[in-house]
Amino acid sequence: MDFLNQFDFHLPDEQIARFPAKNRDESRLLIVNRANETFVEAPFFRDIRNWLRPGDVLVYNETKVSYRRVYLQVDSGRIHEAIFLETIDNDPSSWACILKNRAKLKLGEILSPVGFAEFQFVYEGKLDELSRLRSIRLVRDEDFEVFGTIPIPPYLKRKVIEEDKNRYQTIFAKKSGSVAAPTAGLHFTDSLRAELVQFGIEFVPVNLQVGYGTFRPLTAEQWHTKTLHKEKYEITEESSIRLNTAKKEGRRIIAIGTTSLRVLETVFDSQQQKYKVGVSQTDIFLSPGDNIQSVQGLITNFHLPKSSLLLLVSAFANSRLVMNSYQYALQNHFRFYSYGDSMFLF
């Protein structure tokens, strides 16, 4: 995986955005033009309207971040931090979790959310780097909102604050199930969306549940098999009809974020030049050399070095242009990662 070294860079700690901009649409924006291989800075994200055209379609991920970070306590009082990722084996009571300090747990030991002893989980052992917990009573997403907190990314290196409950959800958030936000959508406000609609921009939803893979470094196996972690997606008939109509009419389709792009590239039939309806899982891994045909534009944040997300962006635009853009962002003190600044590539 020496190839990944060209996607490495040093990010000063102070350029990791640990808190969001005061207002969502006031993050900075870097405009990247693939055709002439240039980039230019816009003062605020809301200035993106100057690079959009009437008729453009912006595709957003309507997933909602679930309150899946839970502090669990054993009888002795010891605390174990957990992130509940997904149910497994078609069993709604069996959960795959990121579980800290699991070496201190014994098989069969009972854990309960701090302050909520009526909810109990049994430790049932390892799932590779993950752990299996079984809930004694059925746990719904609404229950996590009672005893859990929103799982902000580990690289923020801080605890959740009240502001995160609002700011780590996009204005498009509708369907629960993700453990991380589709962060490109965090820059949009209701007023900006209304203004863009009035200008002639169409907004179309897809859904992709963002999973644990968003936190994981690339492995050699993923690189060799060209597959990533599986994530559930949905694209409705209405969304596919609207996208296919726009495609026929020659209008630009622009993905808001890498999650939306992964869905679109998964369901796009390149032979028929159509977007298919679907509810399934995708493990698509897009990297330089892949021919992305499903979109003509991408709105995204600045990603981790050597990450699958950076490779995806470099598949959409050429690697040299993307890394030159990143160097500009680094030298001009752009803010990186989930709460950071943004790029619009077209």
Side-chain angles (χ1 to χ4, degrees), residues 135-188:
S135 58
I136 292 178
R137 59 183 276 190
L138 195 63
V139 176
R140 303 162 302 164
D141 225 57
E142 306 90 86
D143 295 320
F144 282 108
E145 294 189 13
V146 172
F147 59 71
T149 62
I150 201 161
I152 60 173
Y155 49 69
L156 295 187
K157 296 179 181 177
R158 64 171 176 83
K159 292 187 176 180
V160 172
I161 59 173
E162 191 66 26
E163 183 184 24
D164 292 315
K165 295 178 181 178
N166 172 46
R167 294 300 300 274
Y168 197 60
Q169 299 280 17
T170 71
I171 63 164
F172 309 111
K174 184 178 179 182
K175 297 182 178 180
S176 296
S178 286
V179 295
T183 55
L186 295 177
H187 304 286
F188 285 84

Side-chain angles (χ1 to χ4, degrees), residues 30 56 65 127 130 138 157 167 187 196 200 204 240 273 329:
L30 193 65
D56 282 345
V65 185
L127 290 168
L130 302 179
L138 195 63
K157 296 179 181 177
R167 294 300 300 274
H187 304 286
L196 293 177
V204 173
S240 67
Q273 292 289 296

Side-chain angles (χ1 to χ4, degrees), residues 268-309:
F268 187 69
D269 185 325
S270 58
Q271 288 187 324
Q272 296 187 26
Q273 292 289 296
K274 284 187 175 181
Y275 301 89
K276 298 176 291 185
V277 177
V279 179
S280 188
Q281 292 184 317
T282 182
D283 59 5
I284 192 169
F285 181 3
L286 299 167
S287 61
D290 292 328
N291 182 20
I292 293 177
Q293 299 184 48
S294 61
V295 300
Q296 291 72 54
L298 172 64
I299 298 167
T300 189
N301 282 25
F302 291 92
H303 303 294
L304 279 73
K306 301 202 291 189
S307 64
S308 63
L309 301 181

Side-chain angles (χ1 to χ4, degrees), residues 217-230:
L218 278 173
T219 65
E221 182 183 3
Q222 288 173 322
W223 180 251
H224 292 307
T225 61
K226 281 288 287 179
T227 57
L228 289 181
H229 49 283
K230 289 184 178 180

Side-chain angles (χ1 to χ4, degrees), residues 236-250:
T236 63
E237 184 174 7
E238 180 186 355
S239 289
S240 67
I241 289 171
R242 291 167 66 188
L243 289 168
N244 287 325
T245 299
K247 184 78 175 172
K248 281 183 183 177
E249 295 172 353

